[in-house]
Amino acid sequence: LRWINGLRPIAAILLIASFLWVLLLRSGKLKDGGTRRLFLPFLAVMTVVYLVTGPLWNAHIARRIGEEPTTTPGYSVLVGFNPASGGRWNQQDSDTLFGYSDQPGATAQQAQAAAMEDAKARITSGQVDFTQLFRQKIRIFLGSDNTCVGYSSAVLRHTELFSKVCNSFYYGIVLLSLAGAVQLWRRGAG
């Protein structure tokens, strides 16, 4: 999980998903002594290892980049609540972040904290139509999953093929998830 988090900060999502799976979808099996002896210690150990390795991983990152990594997701929140861009990357918010980080002596943490303050101001300004913004975000974010190809297009050949592969995998997972949800619903209704 820590290695995955180093590539993309989603390890906590995997940990939460594991807990939800065990507690909500496998809750009937928790009464079984053998299953409880398997799942609960595994989740506990996984959580402890994840939490203990956090400072070690951050020290490794700090050595590699020359400063402490930020703990504030200010820029992501700022971009996510930008109604003009539909919550996607945009040049204006990017320029704002780089303006903060280009100040003499500024650290990544300071730049992200300043971006978080801008995000709070944007959220509380009364100028964000949250319903419309979230409708846009769902349409944009659930529509496809080939953005990684766009990010890598400068060094990738066959970008159209890779886009199709990424989206095929994504839509396959969505279909399997829907089929699983229907199967769970039928079991519960039967």
Side-chain angles (χ1 to χ4, degrees):
L1 287 176
R2 203 40 81 182
W3 183 76
I4 289 169
N5 216 50
L7 298 174
R8 185 166 175 94
I10 61 169
I13 294 170
L14 298 174
L15 198 57
I16 293 167
S18 298
F19 273 104
L20 291 176
W21 179 70
V22 168
L23 296 176
L24 298 178
L25 297 178
R26 306 284 296 187
S27 60
K29 299 280 185 183
L30 287 178
K31 294 174 186 160
D32 174 26
T35 303
R36 185 175 38 239
R37 278 182 266 147
L38 175 68
F39 285 128
L40 295 180
F42 174 75
L43 287 176
V45 167
M46 190 167 62
T47 302
V48 168
V49 168
Y50 176 75
L51 294 174
V52 167
T53 59
L56 298 173
W57 184 259
N58 286 344
H60 170 71
I61 295 295
R63 275 195 319 274
R64 296 289 305 245
I65 64 175
E67 71 175 278
E68 288 292 320
T70 183
T71 58
T72 306
Y75 175 71
S76 295
V77 176
L78 182 65
V79 168
F81 283 95
N82 188 330
S85 69
R88 292 183 292 176
W89 180 91
N90 62 82
Q91 191 64 52
Q92 177 188 3
D93 290 338
S94 183
D95 291 343
T96 298
L97 177 68
F98 281 107
Y100 291 135
S101 65
D102 288 343
Q103 293 176 1
T107 64
Q109 179 64 35
Q110 291 167 336
Q112 289 287 346
M116 182 62 88
E117 291 306 314
D118 287 351
K120 290 176 185 175
R122 179 178 284 166
I123 292 167
T124 59
S125 70
Q127 296 177 351
V128 177
D129 180 356
F130 294 104
T131 305
Q132 179 63 25
L133 177 64
F134 291 128
R135 197 175 303 134
Q136 283 179 311
K137 289 172 83 70
I138 288 173
R139 189 184 83 246
I140 291 165
F141 291 128
L142 295 181
S144 65
D145 192 39
N146 62 346
T147 306
C148 61
V149 176
Y151 291 148
S152 307
S153 64
V155 295
L156 275 181
R157 294 185 301 207
H158 314 295
T159 55
E160 188 174 326
L161 171 68
F162 287 129
S163 289
K164 288 179 182 176
V165 168
C166 287
N167 283 327
S168 295
F169 178 78
Y170 171 70
Y171 294 131
I173 294 297
V174 168
L175 289 174
L176 285 172
S177 298
L178 290 173
V182 167
Q183 189 176 24
L184 283 173
W185 177 74
R186 284 184 178 168
R187 280 188 197 164

